């Protein structure tokens, strides 16, 4: 793709956080910038206030086709679908349509560590950044975590490493983006309301590897057969993590295994590059096998960039769960309440349930993203004492898994939390892990999780 140059005409589509940051960077680089958003000026007050002092044109309340086709470059926000007519016409006119991450990367020379996957991206990204800082280096953490990468490109003070969480939506419009380390955590069906099917979703994720060379590193999950198959032909150096013990790794992998395995409560590093080492997990605040995977992925990424075993070990123990991700909210009458509002797909819900040995009263349901819920059946049967279903998907979820637990369908989120507490007994866990997105009842998963915490605080 042609590099950004002064005097080029650029259109920013979508004026959320990434759109605002992209607009600032484009203006600073001397481009003639237009922004467009279907929301009205009054709805975008905060964004427009953040752009005060920058020179740009604004077309708000609708998208104008001619504006899209009269550009040298279009930067699209991740929340904007690529199949809207103005963008389709722009691509037919051979106008480059790129993501904010692709734009920012043109102005970044520091090593990039990029993390993608269906679940665990944010926790792993934070783990990596904290390990780097514990090792005496500096890290910028951005991307899909909520801090646009263009914010870093605008900074004068640079970091030793740039840690970027990347979603499939962002990768759809990446072409030259090239990390030094790419972490592929897992792939499972998600966002099927945006993609034609699972394969298209996976294809978007895999764009992360397209420009990587033999000097770069790919870290991936040995237990994810889909990823293992799709990444096998890439030229980069491969490091693996697995929650299996080394003795259970298939022979064709164990003979040349480079990575880390889970051994009786410890993480065991085995590679030719670094000395064998075990990392203790006793006292670690993150719970669940899925978080063991996140820890191992972060550890390997940090070993690549020279972070010490001591810094990694310190972070593994001290790292606190992020809000809305298996967050222990409170204990009431010996009942533990966990907020996992970020569990917005079936795969994430499965992993959350596997984290508990206590009986679980599960609150699930939300906006329908087109996933199938039948795969939840054995997990509901094994882990869930009572199932409380709410939201747009409650009927579909009930038909799929309602027979495998005592199940209640309720009308409001408040009722769901009250019923869950009513059904709980001493030693139980009340878990909000919806398996669905939140937009049927809430603005986002954060608002849903915060509302859960407010209700629990009243008990």
């Amino acid at each position: 793709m042609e590099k950004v140059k002064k005097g080029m005409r650029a259109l920013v589509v979508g004026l959320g956080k990434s759109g605002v940051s992209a607009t600032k960077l484009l203006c600073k680089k001397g481009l003639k910038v237009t922004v467009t958003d279907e929301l009205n000026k009054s709805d975008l007050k905060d964004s427009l206030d953040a752009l005060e002092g920058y020179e740009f044109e604004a077309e708000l309340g609708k998208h104008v086709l001619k504006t899209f086709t009269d550009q040298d470059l279009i930067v699209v926000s991740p929340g904007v679908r690529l199949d809207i007519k103005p963008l389709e016409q722009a691509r037919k006119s051979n106008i480059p349509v790129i993501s904010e991450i692709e734009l920012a990367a043109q102005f970044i020379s520091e090593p990039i560590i990029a993390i993608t996957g269906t679940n665990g991206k944010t926790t792993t990204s934070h783990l990596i950044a904290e390990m780097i800082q514990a090792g005496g280096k500096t890290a910028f953490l951005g991307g899909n975590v909520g801090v646009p990468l263009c914010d870093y490109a605008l900074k004068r003070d640079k970091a030793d490493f740039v840690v970027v969480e990347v979603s499939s939506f962002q990768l759809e419009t990446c072409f030259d983006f090239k990390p030094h380390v790419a972490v592929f955590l897992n792939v499972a069906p998600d966002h099927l309301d945006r993609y034609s099917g699972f394969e298209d979703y996976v294809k978007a994720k895999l764009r992360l590897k397209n420009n990587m060379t033999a000097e770069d590193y790919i870290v991936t999950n040995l237990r994810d057969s889909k990823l293992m198959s799709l990444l096998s032909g890439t030229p980069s150096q491969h490091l693996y993590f697995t929650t299996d013990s080394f003795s259970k790794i298939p022979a064709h992998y164990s003979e040349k295994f480079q990575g880390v395995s889970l051994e009786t409560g410890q993480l065991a590093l085995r590679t030719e590059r670094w000395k064998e080492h075990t990392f203790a997990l006793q006292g670690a605040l993150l719970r669940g096998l899925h978080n063991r995977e996140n820890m191992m992925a972060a550890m390997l990424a940090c070993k690549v960039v020279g972070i010490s075993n001591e810094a990694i070990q310190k972070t593994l123990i001290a790292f606190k769960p992020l809000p809305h991700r298996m967050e222990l909210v409170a204990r009431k009458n010996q009942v533990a309440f966990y907020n996992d509002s970020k569990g917005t797909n079936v795969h994430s819900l499965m992993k959350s349930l596997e984290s508990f040995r206590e009986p679980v009263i599960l609150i699930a349901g939300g906006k329908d993203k087109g996933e199938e819920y039948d795969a939840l059946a054995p997990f509901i049967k094994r882990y869930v004492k009572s199932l409380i279903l709410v939201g747009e998907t409650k009927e579909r979820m009930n038909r799929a898994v309602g027979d495998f637990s005592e199940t209640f369908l309720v009308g409001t989120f408040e009722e769901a939390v009250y019923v869950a507490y009513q059904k709980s007994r001493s030693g139980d866990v009340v878990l909000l892990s919806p398996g669905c997105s939140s937009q049927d009842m809430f603005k986002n998963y954060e608002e849903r999780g915060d509302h859960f915490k407010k209700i629990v605080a009243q008990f």
Side-chain angles (χ1 to χ4, degrees):
M1 191 199 81
E2 185 181 1
K3 298 297 182 182
V4 170
K5 296 177 183 177
K6 183 178 181 179
M8 290 176 66
R9 296 162 300 171
L11 176 68
V12 177
V13 185
L15 208 52
K17 284 183 180 180
S18 67
V20 168
S21 189
T23 301
K24 290 180 178 179
L25 182 59
L26 290 166
C27 289
K28 183 178 179 181
K29 297 299 180 181
L31 282 78
K32 299 175 182 177
V33 182
T34 303
V35 301
T36 180
D37 198 300
E38 290 185 319
L39 294 177
N40 294 313
K41 184 177 181 179
S42 59
D43 298 319
L44 294 166
K45 182 180 183 305
D46 290 345
S47 295
L48 293 170
D49 286 348
L51 289 170
E52 187 175 353
Y54 291 86
E55 292 187 11
F56 61 92
E57 299 292 328
E59 291 183 352
L60 307 177
K62 62 179 180 178
H63 293 318
V64 179
L65 179 60
K66 187 178 185 304
T67 303
F68 281 70
T69 56
D70 191 28
Q71 304 295 328
D72 299 310
L73 174 71
I74 296 176
V75 181
V76 62
S77 298
V80 177
R81 295 182 64 103
L82 298 183
D83 57 2
I84 62 172
K85 288 184 178 180
L87 283 176
E88 288 184 336
Q89 189 59 50
R91 290 197 298 272
K92 287 179 182 178
S93 302
N94 295 317
I95 298 168
V97 177
I98 66 170
S99 67
E100 175 263 334
I101 280 181
E102 176 84 350
L103 170 66
Q106 292 188 27
F107 305 100
I108 296 174
S109 57
E110 294 73 34
I112 293 174
I113 303 170
I115 303 92
T116 197
T118 302
N119 297 304
K121 297 185 296 296
T122 302
T123 295
T124 304
S125 299
H126 278 81
L127 275 165
I128 291 170
E130 290 198 15
M131 287 175 181
I132 290 171
Q133 289 161 357
K137 301 291 185 179
T138 56
F140 173 85
L141 175 60
N144 196 51
V145 295
V147 181
L149 193 56
C150 282
D151 280 15
Y152 180 74
L154 286 161
K155 287 169 66 73
R156 290 184 179 180
D157 297 330
K158 298 303 181 182
D160 295 309
F161 301 101
V162 176
V163 182
V164 190
E165 177 188 328
V166 283
S167 70
S168 60
F169 295 174
Q170 292 166 320
L171 287 167
E172 287 172 353
T173 44
C174 281
F175 302 93
D176 297 327
F177 181 71
K178 178 186 176 299
H180 176 50
V181 183
V183 177
F184 290 86
L185 291 168
N186 45 62
V187 285
D190 198 9
H191 302 300
L192 299 183
D193 53 342
R194 173 142 169 170
Y195 296 98
S196 61
F198 180 46
E199 295 302 323
D200 277 348
Y201 167 67
V202 174
K203 186 178 178 181
K205 292 283 190 189
L206 291 174
R207 294 177 69 89
L208 183 59
K209 68 176 177 59
N210 285 357
N211 300 302
M212 298 182 70
T213 69
E215 302 300 315
D216 303 315
Y217 289 81
I218 286 177
V219 175
T220 194
N221 190 340
L222 189 65
R223 298 192 69 205
D224 193 311
S225 57
K226 183 81 172 178
L227 277 177
M228 290 296 293
S229 173
L230 292 170
L231 293 171
S232 61
T234 53
S236 303
Q237 301 174 67
H238 288 250
L239 297 169
Y240 304 106
F241 60 90
T242 176
T243 52
D244 287 330
S245 65
F246 183 74
S247 63
K248 293 182 179 179
I249 298 174
H252 59 286
Y253 288 127
S254 62
E255 291 175 1
K256 52 183 179 180
F257 182 74
Q258 301 288 307
V260 60
S261 58
L262 181 61
E263 309 289 342
T264 59
Q266 294 183 319
L267 306 183
L269 178 69
R270 289 183 175 86
T271 69
E272 294 176 354
R273 179 175 177 180
W274 306 293
K275 290 182 179 180
E276 291 189 9
H277 188 83
T278 55
F279 296 84
L281 295 177
Q282 186 175 2
L285 300 175
L286 291 179
R287 66 181 294 168
L289 278 178
H290 62 300
N291 275 322
R292 299 295 183 253
E293 292 178 337
N294 298 337
M295 289 173 168
M296 290 188 280
M299 174 200 308
L300 289 171
C302 286
K303 289 299 295 182
V304 169
V305 297
I307 304 304
S308 70
N309 292 340
E310 292 75 17
I312 291 171
Q313 178 67 78
K314 178 182 177 181
T315 307
L316 290 175
I317 302 303
F319 187 85
K320 296 179 180 179
L322 299 174
H324 314 296
R325 295 162 176 84
M326 293 295 287
E327 175 189 13
L328 177 60
V329 172
R331 295 186 185 274
K332 305 278 187 176
N333 297 321
Q334 297 184 352
V335 175
F337 292 80
Y338 280 86
N339 167 27
D340 191 42
S341 184
K342 185 61 174 68
T344 57
N345 54 62
V346 168
H347 181 261
S348 178
L349 174 50
M350 290 175 179
K351 294 293 186 180
S352 296
L353 289 173
E354 285 181 324
S355 302
F356 295 100
R357 295 297 173 261
E358 306 92 334
V360 175
I361 293 89
L362 173 65
I363 302 170
K367 180 175 172 55
D368 196 340
K369 296 195 293 182
E371 287 195 68
E372 297 299 328
Y373 301 110
D374 296 320
L376 283 171
F379 294 84
I380 300 297
K381 187 175 182 179
R382 179 175 179 181
Y383 297 102
V384 176
K385 172 182 173 180
S386 299
L387 175 61
I388 320 298
L389 296 175
V390 66
E392 185 180 293
T393 58
K394 64 183 179 183
E395 297 287 352
R396 274 217 309 130
M397 293 185 85
N398 181 50
R399 285 194 293 272
V401 299
D403 292 339
F404 298 98
S405 174
E406 178 186 43
T407 301
F408 302 89
L409 278 67
V410 299
T412 68
F413 187 79
E414 292 78 7
E415 186 182 0
V417 183
Y418 287 129
V419 171
Y421 188 33
Q422 183 182 50
K423 301 304 297 183
S424 68
R425 296 295 180 267
S426 176
D428 289 349
V429 164
V430 172
L431 171 66
L432 170 65
S433 190
C436 306
S437 61
S438 59
Q439 284 84 358
D440 59 334
M441 304 176 83
F442 299 95
K443 182 171 64 175
N444 49 45
Y445 74 83
E446 293 98 335
E447 184 180 80
R448 177 171 60 188
D450 287 339
H451 194 46
F452 175 72
K453 290 191 280 188
K454 287 179 182 177
I455 298 170
V456 170
Q458 297 171 5
F459 294 152

mmCIF file of all heavy atoms in Angstrom, residues 244-259:
data_model
loop_
_atom_site.group_PDB
_atom_site.id
_atom_site.type_symbol
_atom_site.label_atom_id
_atom_site.label_comp_id
_atom_site.label_asym_id
_atom_site.label_seq_id
_atom_site.Cartn_x
_atom_site.Cartn_y
_atom_site.Cartn_z
ATOM 1 N N ASP A 244 -1.589 -29.317 28.550
ATOM 2 C CA ASP A 244 -1.212 -30.721 28.759
ATOM 3 C C ASP A 244 0.175 -30.774 29.383
ATOM 4 O O ASP A 244 0.982 -29.850 29.210
ATOM 5 C CB ASP A 244 -1.182 -31.481 27.432
ATOM 6 C CG ASP A 244 -2.577 -31.748 26.880
ATOM 7 O OD1 ASP A 244 -3.510 -31.877 27.687
ATOM 8 O OD2 ASP A 244 -2.726 -31.792 25.649
ATOM 9 N N SER A 245 0.456 -31.850 30.090
ATOM 10 C CA SER A 245 1.822 -32.067 30.554
ATOM 11 C C SER A 245 2.668 -32.515 29.365
ATOM 12 O O SER A 245 2.147 -32.999 28.353
ATOM 13 C CB SER A 245 1.860 -33.126 31.652
ATOM 14 O OG SER A 245 1.457 -34.387 31.135
ATOM 15 N N PHE A 246 3.981 -32.357 29.498
ATOM 16 C CA PHE A 246 4.878 -32.699 28.393
ATOM 17 C C PHE A 246 4.729 -34.161 27.994
ATOM 18 O O PHE A 246 4.801 -34.499 26.809
ATOM 19 C CB PHE A 246 6.326 -32.404 28.791
ATOM 20 C CG PHE A 246 7.316 -32.651 27.691
ATOM 21 C CD1 PHE A 246 7.424 -31.779 26.618
ATOM 22 C CD2 PHE A 246 8.133 -33.776 27.706
ATOM 23 C CE1 PHE A 246 8.318 -31.998 25.593
ATOM 24 C CE2 PHE A 246 9.033 -34.013 26.687
ATOM 25 C CZ PHE A 246 9.136 -33.115 25.625
ATOM 26 N N SER A 247 4.480 -35.029 28.952
ATOM 27 C CA SER A 247 4.364 -36.471 28.668
ATOM 28 C C SER A 247 3.149 -36.797 27.812
ATOM 29 O O SER A 247 3.096 -37.856 27.181
ATOM 30 C CB SER A 247 4.299 -37.267 29.976
ATOM 31 O OG SER A 247 3.135 -36.906 30.718
ATOM 32 N N LYS A 248 2.164 -35.894 27.764
ATOM 33 C CA LYS A 248 0.948 -36.151 26.990
ATOM 34 C C LYS A 248 0.965 -35.494 25.613
ATOM 35 O O LYS A 248 0.016 -35.640 24.851
ATOM 36 C CB LYS A 248 -0.268 -35.674 27.780
ATOM 37 C CG LYS A 248 -0.522 -36.488 29.044
ATOM 38 C CD LYS A 248 -1.770 -36.005 29.771
ATOM 39 C CE LYS A 248 -2.026 -36.834 31.023
ATOM 40 N NZ LYS A 248 -3.227 -36.361 31.754
ATOM 41 N N ILE A 249 2.033 -34.772 25.310
ATOM 42 C CA ILE A 249 2.125 -34.140 23.993
ATOM 43 C C ILE A 249 2.391 -35.211 22.945
ATOM 44 O O ILE A 249 3.274 -36.059 23.135
ATOM 45 C CB ILE A 249 3.250 -33.082 23.974
ATOM 46 C CG1 ILE A 249 2.948 -31.963 24.972
ATOM 47 C CG2 ILE A 249 3.437 -32.508 22.573
ATOM 48 C CD1 ILE A 249 4.066 -30.951 25.122
ATOM 49 N N PRO A 250 1.657 -35.239 21.830
ATOM 50 C CA PRO A 250 1.900 -36.235 20.780
ATOM 51 C C PRO A 250 3.360 -36.234 20.340
ATOM 52 O O PRO A 250 4.014 -35.180 20.286
ATOM 53 C CB PRO A 250 0.980 -35.770 19.640
ATOM 54 C CG PRO A 250 -0.119 -35.003 20.324
ATOM 55 C CD PRO A 250 0.533 -34.340 21.498
ATOM 56 N N ALA A 251 3.861 -37.429 20.026
ATOM 57 C CA ALA A 251 5.288 -37.599 19.739
ATOM 58 C C ALA A 251 5.783 -36.688 18.620
ATOM 59 O O ALA A 251 6.897 -36.147 18.694
ATOM 60 C CB ALA A 251 5.572 -39.054 19.396
ATOM 61 N N HIS A 252 4.980 -36.505 17.567
ATOM 62 C CA HIS A 252 5.441 -35.695 16.437
ATOM 63 C C HIS A 252 5.587 -34.232 16.807
ATOM 64 O O HIS A 252 6.211 -33.456 16.075
ATOM 65 C CB HIS A 252 4.514 -35.858 15.226
ATOM 66 C CG HIS A 252 3.092 -35.470 15.469
ATOM 67 N ND1 HIS A 252 2.229 -36.244 16.211
ATOM 68 C CD2 HIS A 252 2.384 -34.396 15.071
ATOM 69 C CE1 HIS A 252 1.041 -35.664 16.254
ATOM 70 N NE2 HIS A 252 1.108 -34.542 15.578
ATOM 71 N N TYR A 253 5.032 -33.816 17.956
ATOM 72 C CA TYR A 253 5.256 -32.460 18.462
ATOM 73 C C TYR A 253 6.306 -32.445 19.567
ATOM 74 O O TYR A 253 7.121 -31.527 19.658
ATOM 75 C CB TYR A 253 3.958 -31.857 19.004
ATOM 76 C CG TYR A 253 2.959 -31.495 17.933
ATOM 77 C CD1 TYR A 253 1.653 -31.964 17.979
ATOM 78 C CD2 TYR A 253 3.322 -30.668 16.864
ATOM 79 C CE1 TYR A 253 0.726 -31.624 17.003
ATOM 80 C CE2 TYR A 253 2.408 -30.327 15.883
ATOM 81 C CZ TYR A 253 1.113 -30.814 15.962
ATOM 82 O OH TYR A 253 0.201 -30.479 14.997
ATOM 83 N N SER A 254 6.292 -33.456 20.444
ATOM 84 C CA SER A 254 7.192 -33.446 21.602
ATOM 85 C C SER A 254 8.658 -33.560 21.187
ATOM 86 O O SER A 254 9.546 -33.038 21.866
ATOM 87 C CB SER A 254 6.838 -34.585 22.559
ATOM 88 O OG SER A 254 6.992 -35.844 21.940
ATOM 89 N N GLU A 255 8.938 -34.222 20.050
ATOM 90 C CA GLU A 255 10.326 -34.388 19.611
ATOM 91 C C GLU A 255 11.000 -33.063 19.294
ATOM 92 O O GLU A 255 12.202 -32.909 19.469
ATOM 93 C CB GLU A 255 10.365 -35.300 18.374
ATOM 94 C CG GLU A 255 10.009 -36.751 18.685
ATOM 95 C CD GLU A 255 9.930 -37.598 17.428
ATOM 96 O OE1 GLU A 255 10.166 -37.041 16.322
ATOM 97 O OE2 GLU A 255 9.630 -38.792 17.536
ATOM 98 N N LYS A 256 10.241 -32.107 18.834
ATOM 99 C CA LYS A 256 10.799 -30.794 18.473
ATOM 100 C C LYS A 256 10.075 -29.668 19.216
ATOM 101 O O LYS A 256 9.996 -28.534 18.735
ATOM 102 C CB LYS A 256 10.708 -30.575 16.965
ATOM 103 C CG LYS A 256 9.313 -30.792 16.387
ATOM 104 C CD LYS A 256 9.309 -30.627 14.874
ATOM 105 C CE LYS A 256 7.899 -30.865 14.315
ATOM 106 N NZ LYS A 256 7.867 -30.713 12.845
ATOM 107 N N PHE A 257 9.540 -30.000 20.394
ATOM 108 C CA PHE A 257 8.743 -29.036 21.150
ATOM 109 C C PHE A 257 9.583 -27.853 21.608
ATOM 110 O O PHE A 257 10.637 -28.013 22.218
ATOM 111 C CB PHE A 257 8.114 -29.717 22.364
ATOM 112 C CG PHE A 257 7.222 -28.808 23.178
ATOM 113 C CD1 PHE A 257 5.974 -28.438 22.721
ATOM 114 C CD2 PHE A 257 7.646 -28.324 24.406
ATOM 115 C CE1 PHE A 257 5.158 -27.609 23.462
ATOM 116 C CE2 PHE A 257 6.839 -27.490 25.159
ATOM 117 C CZ PHE A 257 5.587 -27.140 24.687
ATOM 118 N N GLN A 258 9.101 -26.654 21.296
ATOM 119 C CA GLN A 258 9.726 -25.413 21.736
ATOM 120 C C GLN A 258 8.635 -24.593 22.405
ATOM 121 O O GLN A 258 7.787 -24.015 21.732
ATOM 122 C CB GLN A 258 10.307 -24.645 20.544
ATOM 123 C CG GLN A 258 11.344 -25.405 19.745
ATOM 124 C CD GLN A 258 12.649 -25.527 20.505
ATOM 125 O OE1 GLN A 258 13.205 -24.537 20.972
ATOM 126 N NE2 GLN A 258 13.135 -26.742 20.645
ATOM 127 N N GLY A 259 8.640 -24.560 23.728
ATOM 128 C CA GLY A 259 7.585 -23.804 24.380
ATOM 129 C C GLY A 259 7.429 -24.134 25.840
ATOM 130 O O GLY A 259 8.402 -24.400 26.547
#
